[in-house]
Amino acid sequence: MSTIRGHNYIGGGRSAAGSVTVQSLDASSGEALPYEFHQATQDEVNAAAEAAAAAYPEYRSLSASKRAEFLEAIADELDALGDDFIELVCRETALPAGRIQGERGRTSGQMRLFAKVLRRGDFHGARIDRALPERKPLPRPDLRQCRIGLGPVAVFGASNFPLAFSTAGGDTASALAAGCPVVFKAHSGHMVTAECVADAVIRAAEKTGMPKGVFNMIYGGGVGEWLVKHPAIQAVGFTGSLRGGRALCDMAAARPQPIPVFAEMSSINPVLVLPEALKARGDAIANELTASVVMGCGQFCTNPGMVIGIRSPEFSAFVDRLAAFMSEQPAQTMLNAGTLNSYGTGLQHLQAHPGITHLAGEPQQGNQGQPQLFKADANLLIKGDELLQEEVFGPTTVVVEVADKAELLRALQGLRGQLTATLIAERADLAASADLVALLEQKVGRLLLNGYPTGVEVCDSMVHGGPYPATSDARGTSVGTLAIDRFLRPVCYQNFPDELLPDALKNANPLGITRLVDGETTHASL
């Protein structure tokens, strides 16, 4: 592993022009690690954005196969990071080595998956409507459409996934796949990790002959505003808090040229436990749900933060078992002091609310997150109580008991946008659940049946998004191959000679891709 320098990455070089430094910390002890990072100055942020802009014309003009080689080279470099790297990530995040090794595999796997997307070519979205000179009274011109990258993308690292949603994570992978250079804002919670991964990306860029400036990285607090406001930046990818995401959205909208922000922000991921399922396997559901709530100390954006059920003796017994299981769960070290403080504040707000009752969990102490269980009055959800809708990022969940199916529907109507919703059900429950599914489809990006939302598969069909406030734009996803769509835009060519068209639209179809030609899907040349 290379020496940690703590310098910003700009245009293929390193820069440390500022005098302000930020310290990397051991997540478990809070002690300072022997690594300092130079906070980027405004001039350095501008230089990073301009380096990305300078790289854009050359990078976007590269063939899809050449960009695929770059992504695969990044994946190889990530896989080659050794045990010393894993140890450093564990120290910065308090996450276990097995989790980090698995996340590294997911991160390199994402790169390889987007390389496959580039090679199969469907991302081009090629559409051709050939000229119809004989059409009367108005002849139709030759019209051809495909998609190109938006331009330089600013990506903000997430706290809870130091690899998969950070330096070379899904936003970076999908932006690079789309032909967009990246300026990455490193998260303060794992800056050593960010530098090691950035070095891997730069090595891959050099090995595959990418333009300098295809990937840049800056450190520091408060520098994100300069980045989002820079006119060279054409889109933003963000995973984090609702407050942070909204701030970025507002900044981007207020620019002379507004740009899209694809922010994944806040979700309580309700789990609906239906009557027949409780009768058949209530204890097992309580046990499985507890495991999902406390997994990774609850530090997942898909953590089940609300459990809803219809009043019955079985539901009462289920809640008792859930409380017992939650009481048995040990405290865990959280990602960093900021996450722990936010978790403590969220618990205090729940405990102070007159309509919410504490059911299980020891008081918070030390630097660890203690699992907690609460119960809220259903009227809070029906009336849209703000506190009940707020994500508490940590190992806690809130039970809501409704009187009957009608009240359940009213409660769900009051639910804000979510990443996920889960139905725990037997076949007899499902027979009467069409209205539940139709309602939840309007509220979430992913509907689960008899599973738990923690754990997000990286594949073509995954949707990790949802209506606001789960994300700032429900039309996209930050996980899966559809994520590339966020950083592409369509361009139409009218009456262009064949030699001036992009390869995706040429008559001979040199890429061999599937295209929509005169309303018919075909691989053929014209």
Side-chain angles (χ1 to χ4, degrees), residues 299 332 356 424:
Q299 297 169 122
Q332 301 177 58
I356 298 176
I424 305 295

Side-chain angles (χ1 to χ4, degrees), residues 130-152:
R130 289 177 288 188
L132 296 175
E134 71 280 4
R135 190 176 72 175
K136 305 298 182 183
L138 296 175
R140 186 178 76 190
D142 186 276
L143 297 166
R144 307 189 181 206
Q145 178 196 121
C146 67
R147 302 192 298 173
I148 66 170
L150 289 175

Side-chain angles (χ1 to χ4, degrees), residues 321-383:
R321 293 301 296 150
L322 184 61
F325 284 134
M326 289 290 289
S327 296
E328 295 169 358
Q329 304 306 307
Q332 301 177 58
T333 302
M334 301 195 81
L335 289 160
N336 49 59
T339 302
L340 180 65
N341 289 337
S342 295
Y343 180 55
T345 299
L347 294 180
Q348 289 171 9
H349 291 162
L350 290 175
Q351 289 165 340
H353 195 295
I356 298 176
T357 305
H358 182 249
L359 296 183
E362 297 297 322
Q364 294 301 115
Q365 56 183 345
N367 67 340
Q368 294 189 312
Q370 180 70 49
Q372 306 288 336
L373 180 66
F374 296 86
K375 185 175 182 180
D377 189 292
N379 282 324
L380 298 181
L381 189 55
I382 292 170
K383 295 177 180 178

Side-chain angles (χ1 to χ4, degrees), residues 280-348:
R281 47 195 167 95
D283 281 3
I285 295 168
N287 193 15
E288 294 161 358
L289 182 58
T290 298
S292 182
V293 171
V294 303
M295 181 185 293
C297 202
Q299 297 169 122
F300 293 98
C301 38
T302 52
N303 181 258
M306 180 175 289
V307 183
I308 307 174
I310 297 173
R311 185 178 303 137
S312 69
E314 291 82 10
F315 187 68
S316 296
F318 162 78
V319 173
D320 289 343
R321 293 301 296 150
L322 184 61
F325 284 134
M326 289 290 289
S327 296
E328 295 169 358
Q329 304 306 307
Q332 301 177 58
T333 302
M334 301 195 81
L335 289 160
N336 49 59
T339 302
L340 180 65
N341 289 337
S342 295
Y343 180 55
T345 299
L347 294 180
Q348 289 171 9

